Amino acid sequence: MDALIAVGAVLAAYLMGSVSFAVVVSRLFGLSDPRTYGSKNPGATNVLRSGNKAAAALTLLGDGFKGWLAVWLALFFQDKYQLGSGTIAAIILAVFLGHLWPVFFKFVGGKGVATALGILLAVNPWLGLGTLATWLAVAYAFRYSSLAALIGSLFAPFYYALLFGADLNLLAIAIMSGLLIYRHGQNIANLMSGKESRIGSKKK
């Protein structure tokens, strides 16, 4: 029974992560599908290129909230349902993987920045706030959302290790950070060639 509960919790986290708020919110606002313009990434930064700040804000909040909720629920019910540390780590990865490869949207998802932040905030508020502060500092200084995400993802496992040491959650967060960097491959190439769009630039 405990194993079934653990598997169900991980599956539920993946399905929760599979809700792409960029696509859902864009449809509600009558905007173009974010997978068809700009970076073609279904995320808040690309929705902002539509010029609709409210839609971008809702996308950011939605993608962050689903990551936070999945992990918060797992931690809240950890003792009641005897969810082991391995299950918690798996849930962290599952909701993130759902965002990257959502079953509801033909496995075409976003890069996971907002969802990763929500996950980190649920694991520990100081961990999330420290990573967010890193993102904000880099974004303010250079005006590149992708560069801020890359730097933040590199620091997140380091911050966790400082707070809690090495455990399965650290491994999950390190894998999550690695996947986030992998999904920013084109952004890295654009940054190196000077072609990366800055925060606030509109779609052509």
Side-chain angles (χ1 to χ4, degrees):
M1 179 60 71
D2 291 344
L4 288 176
I5 292 175
V7 171
V10 173
L11 178 59
Y14 170 76
L15 294 176
M16 194 177 298
S18 290
V19 179
S20 178
F21 280 90
V23 178
V24 173
V25 170
S26 292
R27 289 177 181 174
L28 290 175
F29 278 76
L31 303 174
S32 300
D33 190 319
R35 296 170 293 182
T36 64
Y37 64 81
S39 65
K40 297 184 179 180
N41 173 62
T45 300
N46 204 37
V47 173
L48 184 61
R49 293 190 177 103
S50 71
N52 194 314
K53 294 181 179 179
L58 285 175
T59 299
L60 180 68
L61 291 172
D63 283 343
F65 179 72
K66 69 184 181 185
W68 177 86
L69 182 62
V71 177
W72 182 86
L73 286 173
L75 293 173
F76 184 80
F77 290 108
Q78 183 176 15
D79 292 336
K80 181 177 181 180
Y81 293 106
Q82 298 182 342
L83 301 177
S85 57
T87 301
I88 300 300
I91 287 171
I92 289 173
L93 285 176
V95 65
F96 188 71
L97 291 172
H99 180 78
L100 266 55
W101 293 286
V103 67
F104 302 131
F105 296 93
K106 300 180 180 179
F107 302 100
V108 179
K111 296 173 183 175
V113 178
T115 302
L117 177 59
I119 290 169
L120 296 176
L121 285 168
V123 171
N124 181 269
W126 290 114
L127 172 64
L129 290 173
T131 306
L132 176 60
T134 302
W135 188 97
L136 290 172
V138 176
Y140 179 79
F142 299 100
R143 304 297 296 173
Y144 288 115
S145 175
S146 57
L147 180 62
L150 290 167
I151 299 300
S153 66
L154 287 172
F155 273 88
F158 174 71
Y159 291 151
Y160 184 91
L162 284 179
L163 289 169
F164 306 107
D167 58 15
L168 289 175
N169 283 350
L170 174 60
L171 177 61
I173 291 171
I175 293 172
M176 183 175 71
S177 295
L179 288 170
L180 193 149
I181 292 171
Y182 167 75
R183 291 292 290 229
H184 279 77
Q186 185 59 52
N187 300 93
I188 294 172
N190 289 342
L191 285 166
M192 294 179 67
S193 63
K195 297 179 181 179
E196 182 72 348
S197 299
R198 292 180 181 270
I199 294 173
S201 63
K202 295 183 179 182
K203 65 178 181 179
K204 297 182 180 179

